[in-house]
Amino acid sequence: MDKINNINFTGISNIGFITFKREPGARGSLSKSISMVLRDDLKGKDLSEYKMALHKVTDSPSDFYFHPESPYVLNVECYSDRNGDVLMLNGNVIEPENKTMPVFSYIAKLTRKIANMPEKDMSVNKDYVTYEAPANLIYGSEINVRQASPEQKTVFLNGFFNKDGVKYGAEQVNAFIQRIMNRYFDV
């Protein structure tokens, strides 16, 4: 059974938010990552919209799709250090330039949607949190919860899927994108 294939009516499910220090990173660096499972369903075509935005900006959109072991999981990471801000999608840096504006616009729209999403529409699958989230919350890294008891593991991981925290995280990611756009357009 596909653990992330649960019933959802928003096109987005299993939304998690985490703040962390990516190693190796510059002194004072900080990353914020919002991860989610994208699907097309009755109320949302989020997966198709993401793929369409990628087709507008690259000849190799599959580079920005998904990790082969985690299909449909999108990680949006905001990395900041003393040298500036960098946006990454599934581990790939997206430079602010005219040709990448459709992706920046899509991610801004997506994070606004999440920030304003009614809590009843924020679907989180318990099996996903338990079995897949440790490898999916941070692209390219796994959260080590092996030494924790099953109860500790559940409490710890569920913290990243707290609906208020996720909404706040979506607002932070949206503000991050806005800062990058303001600098790019010299506003």
Side-chain angles (χ1 to χ4, degrees):
M1 179 177 110
D2 181 4
K3 291 179 179 68
I4 60 176
N5 191 14
N6 59 331
I7 295 174
N8 179 33
F9 297 105
T10 62
I12 309 167
S13 64
N14 300 314
I15 309 165
F17 178 74
I18 186 170
T19 301
F20 62 98
K21 181 172 175 27
R22 186 168 284 284
E23 297 294 339
R27 185 175 181 191
S29 66
L30 183 66
S31 282
K32 297 175 182 182
S33 178
I34 191 164
S35 67
M36 68 214 68
V37 176
L38 295 179
R39 300 271 188 204
D40 289 341
D41 61 19
L42 298 175
K43 289 188 180 178
K45 301 293 181 201
D46 297 288
L47 178 60
S48 293
E49 287 179 32
Y50 175 63
K51 288 181 177 182
M52 220 172 5
L54 289 177
H55 280 287
K56 292 177 183 176
V57 302
T58 181
D59 295 331
S60 302
S62 60
D63 292 345
F64 299 94
Y65 279 171
F66 307 100
H67 191 281
E69 294 176 18
S70 301
Y72 309 109
V73 175
L74 173 63
N75 287 76
V76 179
E77 183 177 336
C78 306
Y79 174 86
S80 295
D81 66 18
R82 65 181 173 263
N83 297 317
D85 298 327
V86 176
L87 180 72
M88 291 183 272
L89 299 180
N90 291 342
N92 295 288
V93 172
I94 305 294
E95 295 290 342
E97 51 192 18
N98 286 340
K99 77 176 194 172
T100 60
M101 287 304 112
V103 171
F104 278 93
S105 295
Y106 173 77
I107 299 301
K109 177 184 166 190
L110 182 68
T111 54
R112 278 192 307 274
K113 181 177 182 177
I114 294 168
N116 294 307
M117 188 179 286
E119 288 190 13
K120 66 178 179 56
D121 291 341
M122 297 178 80
S123 168
V124 179
N125 183 296
K126 291 180 183 181
D127 285 342
Y128 176 85
V129 172
T130 302
Y131 300 108
E132 298 181 46
N136 291 335
L137 282 167
I138 301 172
Y139 189 87
S141 295
E142 185 164 344
I143 297 172
N144 185 354
V145 288
R146 289 183 208 100
Q147 301 300 324
S149 71
E151 296 82 21
Q152 291 171 325
K153 180 180 177 181
T154 299
V155 169
F156 178 71
L157 291 173
N158 278 328
F160 300 118
F161 295 89
N162 171 286
K163 293 175 182 181
D164 289 332
V166 165
K167 287 178 166 224
Y168 176 72
E171 290 171 357
Q172 288 187 322
V173 172
N174 192 275
F176 182 89
I177 292 169
Q178 189 63 47
R179 273 195 318 273
I180 290 175
M181 292 297 90
N182 287 346
R183 275 194 293 273
Y184 178 72
F185 290 113
D186 200 25
V187 176

